[in-house]
Amino acid sequence: MTDLAILSAAAAAAAPTRLDPVKLFLDADIVVQLVMAGLLLASIWVWMIIISFSMRIGAARRRSSEYEAHLWEQSDERPVEEQKPRSASPAGRVVAAGLEEWRLSTKGAGYDVDGARQRIAGAMEGQIGVEADTLAERLNFLATIGSVAPFIGLFGTVWGIMNSFFQIGQQQNSSLAVVAPGISEALFATAIGLFAAIPAVIAYNRFSQQVNVFEARLQRLADKVHAQLSRQMDAD
């Protein structure tokens, strides 16, 4: 076997048979490495938000369902305005805000019924907004990562390809063996950007819809409580 055949066989044996993400990262330019590291950290943070939000929205739904069941079960024995609302759930805090305003607005004789109704409705709507904002406070980060991460990855790709062309000029060799490793490392940055962006976009759209549904649920509860308090003021 000739020397050329031996070298070809050795090169074929040494060539990797699959992509190695760790090797791609370690062999990349320092700028591309920084881009990859930042995108990986963003991806970890995205998944932390996804897990924590899923737990929070699940707990909020469960506690609110328990409170509403207790509220309407007890309303057969006592009117809503005579109950002591629990504030451990979003639904309980909404009702508590309405009852507090009801007590303040009706404690004097000859109060303005229409004004009291508006203030009660405003108090509960304000608390609903607070609950929705509290649930959605980290969702903007998901939207930001979903829109920005692909472009950050693309920046790393462009930088890596520029570096590959620079190596062509330095080595005076435009063969695929010279440029392929650098281009692979550069494209890996775009892949990581998409890896961070895709779950963020999906989670943001889904979680935003869940927050809207939960907010509408609290609004329906507030409307029912407001109706009962309005009937009580009419009776007075």
Side-chain angles (χ1 to χ4, degrees):
M1 183 181 292
T2 65
D3 292 341
L4 182 59
I6 293 174
L7 291 175
S8 299
T17 58
R18 61 183 177 83
L19 288 175
D20 186 349
V22 176
K23 188 174 186 309
L24 288 174
F25 175 80
L26 295 177
D27 292 343
D29 181 81
I30 182 62
V31 175
V32 181
Q33 285 182 342
L34 291 175
V35 170
M36 292 179 182
L39 290 173
L40 286 173
L41 290 176
S43 179
I44 293 172
W45 189 245
V46 163
W47 282 104
M48 289 177 61
I49 293 176
I50 289 173
I51 294 172
S52 65
F53 181 87
S54 299
M55 296 174 63
R56 288 172 61 194
I57 191 70
R61 286 171 175 167
R62 183 177 63 255
R63 290 195 299 265
S64 294
S65 296
E66 292 173 355
Y67 174 77
E68 289 184 53
H70 173 78
L71 178 69
W72 302 126
E73 178 183 354
Q74 295 298 315
S75 65
D76 295 335
E77 303 173 5
R78 292 182 298 170
V80 171
E81 64 270 13
E82 294 181 6
Q83 298 190 37
K84 197 176 205 180
R86 296 174 293 180
S87 60
S89 68
R93 289 189 286 269
V94 170
V95 175
L99 291 180
E100 178 64 22
E101 183 58 42
W102 177 81
R103 293 188 180 98
L104 292 174
S105 298
T106 61
K107 63 181 180 181
Y111 59 87
D112 182 5
V113 175
D114 291 335
R117 286 173 177 159
Q118 293 178 6
R119 289 191 294 271
I120 293 169
M124 288 191 288
E125 287 176 2
Q127 187 61 39
I128 290 172
V130 170
E131 299 298 332
D133 290 343
T134 301
L135 279 176
E137 62 183 353
R138 293 184 180 178
L139 295 188
N140 284 336
F141 181 79
L142 296 180
T144 301
I145 292 299
S147 60
V148 171
F151 294 100
I152 296 176
L154 183 60
F155 167 76
T157 297
V158 171
W159 186 273
I161 292 176
M162 289 169 56
N163 187 56
S164 295
F165 281 115
F166 177 78
Q167 294 300 324
I168 291 174
Q170 289 292 99
Q171 300 181 25
Q172 299 295 318
N173 188 350
S174 60
S175 68
L176 190 60
V178 173
V179 300
I183 293 176
S184 297
E185 296 153 10
L187 291 174
F188 187 49
T190 296
I192 296 178
L194 294 175
F195 179 76
I198 292 173
V201 171
I202 295 174
Y204 176 77
N205 291 333
R206 178 171 177 79
F207 291 161
S208 296
Q209 189 266 343
Q210 290 179 354
V211 170
N212 291 336
V213 170
F214 188 71
E215 185 176 6
R217 172 181 174 179
L218 293 180
Q219 185 61 57
R220 289 192 294 270
L221 172 65
D223 291 342
K224 291 174 69 175
V225 172
H226 185 267
Q228 291 206 11
L229 295 178
S230 294
R231 286 194 293 270
Q232 179 61 36
M233 286 187 288
D234 290 339
D236 294 341

